[in-house]
């Protein structure tokens, strides 16, 4: 969660954070600490799954993680 902590440090209360990252963070065992940190410290608005061909030469499924620096409010929207 170091990258997320860096974003949060520079973000004002209720400030919006958007981050392009591999979709594997949603289920990979190695990113469980990241998910727990995000759930405790952010209001996760949505996870937008990008098309396979959005980044040329990249074979990893990517998504945009959108959250604000406040408590979680409601469900997380998954956009495809």
């Amino acid at each position: 969660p170091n990258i997320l902590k860096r974003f949060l440090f520079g973000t004002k209360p209720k400030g919006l954070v958007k981050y392009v990252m591999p979709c594997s963070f949603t289920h990979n065992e190695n990113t469980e600490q990241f998910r727990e940190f995000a759930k405790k410290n952010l209001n996760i608005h949505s996870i937008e799954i990008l098309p396979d061909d959005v980044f040329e030469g990249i074979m990893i499924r990517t998504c945009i993680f959108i959250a604000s620096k406040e408590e979680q409010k409601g469900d997380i929207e998954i956009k495809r």
Side-chain angles (χ1 to χ4, degrees):
N2 290 335
I3 189 78
L4 189 56
K5 287 179 183 178
R6 279 187 262 157
F7 274 119
L8 287 177
F9 180 74
T11 304
K12 294 180 181 180
K14 298 186 180 182
L16 196 62
V17 174
K18 293 184 178 185
Y19 187 62
V20 177
M21 57 197 310
C23 289
S24 60
F25 89 91
T26 63
H27 60 276
N28 189 313
E29 188 176 309
N30 295 330
T31 57
E32 184 175 359
Q33 185 181 9
F34 173 88
R35 292 190 304 273
E36 290 302 316
F37 181 86
K39 285 193 303 188
K40 290 178 183 174
N41 294 281
L42 296 173
N43 177 22
I44 303 169
H45 298 272
S46 67
I47 298 170
E48 298 180 13
I49 299 170
L50 301 175
D52 289 336
D53 60 350
V54 87
F55 297 111
E56 188 176 328
I58 302 296
M59 302 304 291
I60 298 172
R61 189 84 191 219
T62 54
C63 61
I64 302 174
F65 175 84
I66 302 171
S68 56
K69 191 176 175 180
E70 59 188 328
E71 289 184 17
Q72 184 67 36
K73 298 177 183 174
D75 295 333
I76 300 167
E77 182 179 5
I78 306 294
K79 298 180 181 180
R80 296 184 189 269

